């Protein structure tokens, strides 16, 4: 199905393991809060200043960081592989995937932060930690309570567009299928629902939802779950008589009322049936996830705190620490000494080939509403 790749969107997961917000103890896989307190004491402050400046100019970067972060962590782990423009093998990198490419937002902010870090502390702070800190800072500016982000990640040497499909959930894959992917990453179904709430900010491109009003399936031209107003809105935005290039750039906000503010209105909207992304809406329909959506809709404070703790856990997925990987001098390419390490790069990518999910679009079964739960 040609829409398989276009409908890949981001999903965020939270884990039930609690990382105390005031702790400086070792975290999962050797990560530690305050990791740079001796080697580069100003590291987190530098990133926060860069992000704050970017957010003042464009608050949409907070949602951009969340997307980059998830797509990084679920492919090879949180190792900044998504930031690479090329790898020694010459293969297409993650940025070249239709799931990323033009959808990535905020990359230049990461470049700026890394450049300032290199000026202050050359060769000390990894791109993976820079991205992790920036994502935390953007989320906090958008309304999430302040939380600690452990450091100590190192940067990967491999990045392959071919590995995106098998590691990033599709827009309307069955919930069970997506939950299984998260389990492989050490996360749970409930955690999946909690961080899907990142869709309370940001926008989605037409590729991720226009199909709902254009030959939805063999029975319906338009997704019957859409009300007339939402259907008309999508048609107006995505079926205009303009060039394909312009349509590809067209977006709609997930939440038209507070597009830059993290809040539980996202879950309330799902109960109203106004979810823009089909698999978001499925969370309020599927009996396995509907109770979770209800609890989160009723207690915004609890959700925001869960979201904060979740981000620290997501940031620990398959990280590289110690002597693994490298500390890049700049985030778009591996260091000069590793330019010829194609063998290492190939080996590091092998662990991501076991998630061979079907990339075709799964149509809704009327009696079993179990589509994917994505974040764009």
């Amino acid at each position: 199905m040609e829409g398989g790749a276009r409908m890949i969107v981001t999903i965020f997961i939270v884990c039930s393991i609690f990382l105390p917000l005031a702790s400086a103890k070792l975290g999962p896989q050797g990560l530690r809060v305050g990791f740079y307190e001796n080697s580069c004491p100003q590291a987190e402050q530098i990133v926060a200043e860069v992000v704050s400046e970017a957010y003042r100019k464009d608050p949409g970067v907070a949602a951009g960081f969340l997307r980059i972060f998830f797509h990084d962590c679920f492919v090879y782990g949180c190792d900044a592989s998504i930031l690479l423009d090329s790898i020694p093998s010459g293969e297409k990198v993650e940025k070249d995937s239709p799931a990323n490419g033009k959808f990535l937002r905020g990359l230049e902010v990461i470049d700026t932060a890394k450049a300032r870090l290199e000026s202050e502390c050359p060769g000390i702070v990894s791109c993976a930690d820079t991205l992790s800190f920036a994502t935390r800072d953007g989320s906090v500016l958008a309304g999430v309570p302040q939380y600690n982000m452990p450091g100590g990640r190192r940067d990967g040497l491999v990045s392959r567009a071919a590995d995106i499909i098998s590691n990033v959930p599709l827009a309307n894959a069955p919930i069970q299928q997506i939950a299984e992917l998260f389990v492989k990453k050490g996360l749970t179904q409930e955690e999946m629902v909690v961080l899907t709430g990142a869709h309370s900010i940001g926008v989605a491109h037409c590729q991720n939802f226009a199909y709902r009003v254009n030959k939805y399936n063999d029975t319906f031209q338009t997704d019957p779950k859409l009300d007339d107003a939402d259907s008309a809105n999508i048609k107006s935005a995505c079926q205009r008589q303009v060039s394909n290039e312009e349509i590809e750039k067209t977006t709609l906000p997930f939440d038209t009322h507070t597009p830059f503010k993290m809040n539980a209105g996202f879950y309330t909207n799902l109960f109203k049936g106004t979810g823009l992304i089909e698999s978001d809406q499925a969370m309020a329909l599927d009996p396995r996830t509907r109770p979770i959506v209800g609890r989160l809709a009723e207690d915004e404070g609890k959700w925001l705190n869960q979201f904060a703790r979740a981000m620290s856990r997501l940031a620990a997925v398959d990280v590289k620490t110690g002597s693994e990987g490298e500390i890049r001098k700049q985030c778009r390419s591996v260091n000069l000494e590793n330019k010829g390490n194609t063998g290492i790069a190939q080996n590091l990518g092998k662990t991501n080939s076991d998630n061979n999910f079907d990339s075709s679009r799964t149509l809704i079964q009327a009696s079993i509403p179990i589509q994917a739960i994505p974040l764009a």
Side-chain angles (χ1 to χ4, degrees):
M1 168 79 183
E2 64 176 290
R6 78 179 180 198
M7 292 192 303
I8 300 176
V9 288
T10 311
I11 301 180
F12 298 88
I13 324 309
V14 62
C15 185
S16 56
I17 299 178
F18 179 83
L19 179 65
L21 301 184
S23 173
K25 297 180 180 179
L26 288 177
Q29 302 188 50
L31 301 180
R32 179 168 59 85
V33 173
F35 184 84
Y36 297 103
E37 58 189 354
N38 295 319
S39 59
C40 188
Q42 302 302 313
E44 294 190 50
Q45 179 180 336
I46 288 171
V47 176
E49 289 174 353
V50 172
V51 170
S52 180
E53 181 179 353
Y55 186 86
R56 284 195 297 270
K57 296 177 180 177
D58 176 13
V61 298
F65 292 145
L66 286 168
R67 181 186 180 89
I68 295 172
F69 188 59
F70 176 81
H71 276 212
D72 181 51
C73 291
F74 259 46
V75 184
Y76 312 119
C78 305
D79 66 351
S81 58
I82 196 171
L83 302 181
L84 288 170
D85 284 344
S86 63
I87 55 173
S89 69
E91 295 174 86
K92 287 186 176 182
V93 294
E94 293 169 49
K95 283 181 180 177
D96 295 327
S97 168
N100 292 322
K102 57 182 175 290
F103 299 123
L104 299 183
R105 183 180 188 183
L107 294 172
E108 70 288 345
V109 182
I110 303 301
D111 291 337
T112 299
K114 176 60 174 175
R116 286 190 55 184
L117 289 167
E118 284 297 300
S119 177
E120 178 78 14
C121 313
I124 299 298
V125 184
S126 68
C127 294
D129 279 345
T130 303
L131 176 58
S132 298
F133 296 150
T135 304
R136 181 269 312 274
D137 296 335
S139 299
V140 169
L141 287 170
V144 176
Q146 180 66 45
Y147 63 98
N148 286 330
M149 175 61 73
R153 300 163 195 79
R154 288 171 65 86
D155 301 324
L157 303 175
V158 78
S159 179
R160 294 197 190 99
D163 290 324
I164 296 292
I165 295 295
S166 61
N167 285 285
V168 178
L170 303 180
N172 64 342
I175 286 177
Q176 182 61 38
Q177 187 182 87
I178 295 177
E180 289 172 359
L181 175 57
F182 290 132
V183 167
K184 288 187 177 183
K185 306 297 182 181
L187 304 165
T188 70
Q189 180 171 279
E190 180 169 359
E191 296 159 354
M192 172 178 64
V193 179
V194 169
L195 274 179
T196 304
H199 265 175
S200 62
I201 59 174
V203 298
H205 288 74
C206 282
Q207 291 94 316
N208 291 323
F209 55 82
Y211 72 93
R212 300 183 71 184
V213 297
N214 184 25
K215 297 180 181 178
Y216 175 68
N217 60 25
D218 292 339
T219 304
F220 297 102
Q221 174 71 16
T222 298
D223 185 349
K225 297 186 299 301
L226 287 171
D227 63 23
D228 291 342
D230 289 332
S231 177
N233 191 30
I234 293 175
K235 289 178 180 178
S236 175
C238 303
Q239 294 184 343
R240 294 171 294 134
Q241 297 300 311
V242 296
S243 67
N244 289 335
E245 182 178 357
E246 183 173 342
I247 288 297
E248 287 179 356
K249 296 178 181 178
T250 301
T251 63
L252 287 177
F254 290 111
D255 186 339
T256 57
H257 299 293
T258 57
F260 304 119
K261 181 68 174 178
M262 296 279 285
N263 57 53
F266 166 74
Y267 297 103
T268 302
N269 289 340
L270 295 185
F271 275 120
K272 294 178 180 178
T274 59
L276 182 62
I277 301 296
E278 183 179 11
S279 52
D280 285 357
Q281 189 62 62
M283 293 192 301
L285 301 174
D286 191 285
R288 293 165 294 187
T289 51
R290 182 177 174 85
I292 303 171
V293 173
R295 292 195 298 271
L296 299 178
E298 292 173 357
D299 193 337
E300 181 172 293
K302 180 178 180 181
W303 167 63
L304 287 171
N305 282 313
Q306 286 183 286
F307 188 93
R309 294 194 296 269
M311 295 304 294
S312 292
R313 288 294 300 142
L314 175 61
V317 170
D318 294 334
V319 294
K320 296 171 178 61
T321 57
S323 61
E324 298 176 291
E326 65 176 8
I327 304 296
R328 289 185 215 141
K329 294 180 175 64
Q330 64 100 2
C331 296
R332 292 177 181 264
S333 65
V334 300
N335 294 338
L336 183 62
E337 60 268 27
N338 282 318
K339 290 290 186 181
N341 264 336
T342 54
I344 293 177
Q346 290 168 354
N347 184 59
L348 288 175
K350 288 181 179 178
T351 59
N352 292 278
S353 62
D354 58 348
N355 298 322
N356 296 315
F357 291 144
D358 182 5
S359 61
S360 61
R361 182 160 76 91
T362 304
L363 297 178
I364 295 178
Q365 302 299 316
S367 60
I368 310 177
I370 50 173
Q371 304 117 50
I373 303 180
L375 276 181

